Amino acid sequence: MNSNGFSSMEIEYIRKHHRHHLTENQCSSALVKHIKAPPFISRCVVQGNLEIGSLREVDVKSGLPATTSTERLELLDDDEHILSIRIVGGDHRLRNYSSIISVHPEVIDGRLGTLVIESFVVDVPEGNTKDETCYFVEALIKCNLKSLADVSERLALQDRTEPIDRM
């Protein structure tokens, strides 16, 4: 573990897939979540074809920090399991927000699992500090990753398989 609490494997994934170019008035961070289930894909409505530059309208169930968000697809790499989006509209204060999400298979407690890493960069709103802004966005991402883990792990329990043999 390094001083940020990341393992060497996590650091390597972050170094390889989560690069952001920050300007002076932006903050950035990376969060990691180990999910005791394989990843799943939920329904998503996209305007046009699923390609770089396509937009999707998102209605946020919780309503915090927004009820709507418009996202532009910046990167989609099926082979490396990487997705990057930029928020281009919505009723929130996240300006120049972009994130990279990468998904990596792993074994947790002898079963197939998933390491999800999400990193972001965002402008610091006037009247806020970089620390406050990062803390706020990290809290949102942690909540989303926890929800993803809860749903994924519940679904995996319904389709539970035997532990895989360690090599």
Side-chain angles (χ1 to χ4, degrees):
M1 295 277 177
N2 72 356
S3 63
N4 290 329
F6 295 130
S7 71
S8 59
M9 176 186 65
E10 294 163 349
I11 292 169
E12 184 58 32
Y13 285 136
I14 292 168
R15 184 177 295 128
K16 184 176 180 184
H17 302 297
H18 296 266
R19 297 183 191 159
H20 297 280
H21 302 284
L22 277 73
T23 62
E24 183 180 325
N25 194 38
Q26 292 184 311
C27 66
S28 179
S29 186
L31 294 96
V32 171
K33 179 69 177 176
H34 296 264
I35 301 173
K36 294 180 181 179
F40 73 97
I41 298 172
S42 64
R43 183 177 173 273
C44 177
V45 178
V46 176
Q47 298 172 8
N49 296 326
L50 183 59
E51 59 191 11
I52 304 303
S54 62
L55 298 177
R56 74 176 181 171
E57 295 287 333
V58 178
D59 292 329
V60 182
K61 205 172 200 177
S62 69
L64 292 174
T67 57
T68 63
S69 182
T70 304
E71 303 170 352
R72 179 183 186 278
L73 183 62
E74 299 286 308
L75 171 71
L76 181 61
D77 187 328
D78 289 330
D79 295 330
E80 292 288 335
H81 306 285
I82 303 171
L83 170 78
S84 177
I85 60 102
R86 176 176 299 280
I87 294 179
V88 296
D91 62 346
H92 48 71
R93 294 182 62 199
L94 300 177
R95 301 293 171 242
N96 291 318
Y97 179 91
S98 86
S99 74
I100 300 169
I101 301 168
S102 62
V103 180
H104 312 275
E106 68 174 351
V107 175
I108 304 173
D109 299 333
R111 299 187 186 282
L112 289 178
T114 307
L115 168 63
V116 178
I117 302 173
E118 184 167 352
S119 62
F120 68 90
V121 62
V122 66
D123 287 357
V124 176
E126 190 174 324
N128 291 90
T129 67
K130 288 182 181 184
D131 286 344
E132 290 167 338
T133 303
C134 275
Y135 180 82
F136 174 73
V137 176
E138 287 172 353
L140 292 173
I141 292 172
K142 286 177 185 176
C143 181
N144 289 340
L145 291 175
K146 183 182 181 326
S147 294
L148 174 63
D150 290 346
V151 169
S152 298
E153 290 168 1
R154 249 193 327 270
L155 289 173
L157 283 175
Q158 295 171 5
D159 188 31
R160 186 59 97 176
T161 58
E162 294 300 313
I164 56 178
D165 294 328
R166 293 247 178 210
M167 294 184 190

